[in-house]
Amino acid sequence: MNAGIQAFVEAMTAAGRTVDVRGAIVLVLVDVPMGRHADTEVWVGEDPPQDFPTIPPHWVHLPDSITLADGGKQASELGAGWAKWSRPHKRWVDGVGPASQWLAHARALLAKAST
């Protein structure tokens, strides 16, 4: 496991999230507070860069049944039942932990999901 994956797993675990490492992709069980998936939990995959948390992750892997606005859906390395989306996270804001910022980003994407 590279340093970025290890740091991401540690950050998500410290934030109280359930994680499942599948090679270079880390699945995180994210609670969704708003939108079509409100009051559910969705597995969200991320392939954190080697230098996480200095550099935010780029790709978001979601169950194939979920569609994000603005297109860009591609096949995920997770295989059947998954898709990935190019949804780079903006640079981290100082004073707020990367785990909190990544979770907020994932929740915001899921809140806007059309299916």
Side-chain angles (χ1 to χ4, degrees):
M1 183 177 314
N2 75 39
I5 292 172
Q6 184 65 41
F8 188 78
V9 167
E10 289 172 2
M12 291 301 120
T13 302
R17 300 286 90 203
T18 301
V19 299
D20 180 12
V21 179
R22 298 194 186 172
I25 299 171
V26 180
L27 294 176
V28 180
L29 193 56
V30 176
D31 55 310
V32 186
M34 300 182 296
R36 184 176 185 98
H37 301 283
D39 300 322
T40 67
E41 291 183 311
V42 175
W43 284 103
V44 178
E46 192 61 78
D47 39 356
Q50 173 71 28
D51 49 2
F52 178 87
T54 303
I55 302 296
H58 179 92
W59 294 99
V60 176
H61 301 256
L62 296 170
D64 198 40
S65 60
I66 296 176
T67 301
L68 298 180
D70 302 326
K73 184 176 186 177
Q74 298 182 30
S76 169
E77 292 82 356
L78 289 168
W82 290 89
K84 72 179 181 180
W85 305 82
S86 175
R87 294 296 185 267
H89 191 291
K90 296 178 178 158
R91 295 289 180 215
W92 303 127
V93 175
D94 291 337
V96 180
S100 295
Q101 292 184 64
W102 183 86
L103 285 167
H105 178 67
R107 289 176 180 132
L109 290 173
L110 290 167
K112 295 178 184 176
S114 60
T115 57

